[in-house]
């Protein structure tokens, strides 16, 4: 399952992502927010990360705020969450292939609609390569436990 969440500064870009998902028959759940009243991004990251952690091997997420930075910092505080702030499709592809990223972070104020669609496509279509990358990803998870 793909979960999508945003704060007030990511509302418009979330609509772009949702439209993309609908056009490509991607099953998703919109966790909010749905209005442009101020909300704290750590709260939205927490809601999404808790959903991902229910089945970390099957779920992925997309978090959207103004810059993407706050969401990525907040999401990466959770064990087994590997959130990647991506500004182009290459970053999203590598985040999946090499880092097994399970959460994509986007910034509405720094990413246009067309680029966002390409980033989401790369994130959702790439697969983790494993191998030497699996050893590195395991070290990321163990570092969070310390």
């Amino acid at each position: 399952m793909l979960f999508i969440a945003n704060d007030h500064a990511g509302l418009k870009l979330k609509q772009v992502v949702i439209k993309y998902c609908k056009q490509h028959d991607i099953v998703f759940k919109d966790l909010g927010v749905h209005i442009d009243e101020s909300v704290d991004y750590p709260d939205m990251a927490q809601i999404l990360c808790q959903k991902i952690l229910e089945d970390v091997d099957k779920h992925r997420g997309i978090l959207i705020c103004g810059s993407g930075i706050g969401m990525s910092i907040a999401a990466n505080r959770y064990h087994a969450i590997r959130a990647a702030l991506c500004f182009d499709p290459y970053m999203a592809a590598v985040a999946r292939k090499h880092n097994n990223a399970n959460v994509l972070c986007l910034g509405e104020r720094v990413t246009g609609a067309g680029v966002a669609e390409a980033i989401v496509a790369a994130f959702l279509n790439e697969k983790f390569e494993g191998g030497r990358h699996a050893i590195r990803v395991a070290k990321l998870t163990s570092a969070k436990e310390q």
Side-chain angles (χ1 to χ4, degrees):
M1 170 68 70
L2 176 65
F3 295 99
I4 303 169
N6 59 290
D7 71 0
H8 57 281
L11 188 58
K12 291 177 186 172
L13 190 59
K14 181 179 75 172
Q15 295 310 313
V16 170
V17 171
I18 286 174
K19 181 179 175 185
Y20 174 87
C21 290
K22 288 179 179 178
Q23 289 173 336
H24 292 87
D25 297 319
I26 297 165
V27 177
F28 69 92
K29 180 162 180 146
D30 179 358
L31 301 174
V33 299
H34 304 101
I35 57 175
D36 62 1
E37 290 181 21
S38 183
V39 64
D40 295 333
Y41 60 84
D43 297 337
M44 298 314 298
Q46 179 182 20
I47 291 167
L48 183 133
C49 289
Q50 288 174 338
K51 289 290 189 184
I52 300 292
L53 292 172
E54 289 175 6
D55 192 341
V56 74
D57 294 325
K58 292 184 181 177
H59 299 327
R60 283 198 234 162
I62 299 175
L63 288 168
I64 308 165
C65 65
S67 67
I69 296 169
M71 286 292 200
S72 65
I73 292 170
N76 277 311
R77 292 181 169 275
Y78 293 87
H79 174 77
I81 296 295
R82 292 171 303 280
L85 172 57
C86 298
F87 294 106
D88 61 45
Y90 174 78
M91 290 176 73
V94 171
R96 286 290 306 132
K97 292 192 292 188
H98 294 185
N99 308 116
N100 200 16
N102 49 16
V103 175
L104 170 65
C105 297
L106 298 171
E108 179 175 309
R109 296 177 182 147
V110 295
T111 307
V115 173
E117 289 176 354
I119 293 169
V120 169
F123 180 75
L124 296 178
N125 292 318
E126 290 294 343
K127 304 290 184 231
F128 181 50
E129 291 179 351
R132 71 183 190 276
H133 304 296
I135 296 166
R136 296 167 185 156
V137 169
K139 289 181 180 184
L140 292 173
T141 302
S142 66
K144 287 184 179 182
E145 295 172 350
Q146 297 176 1

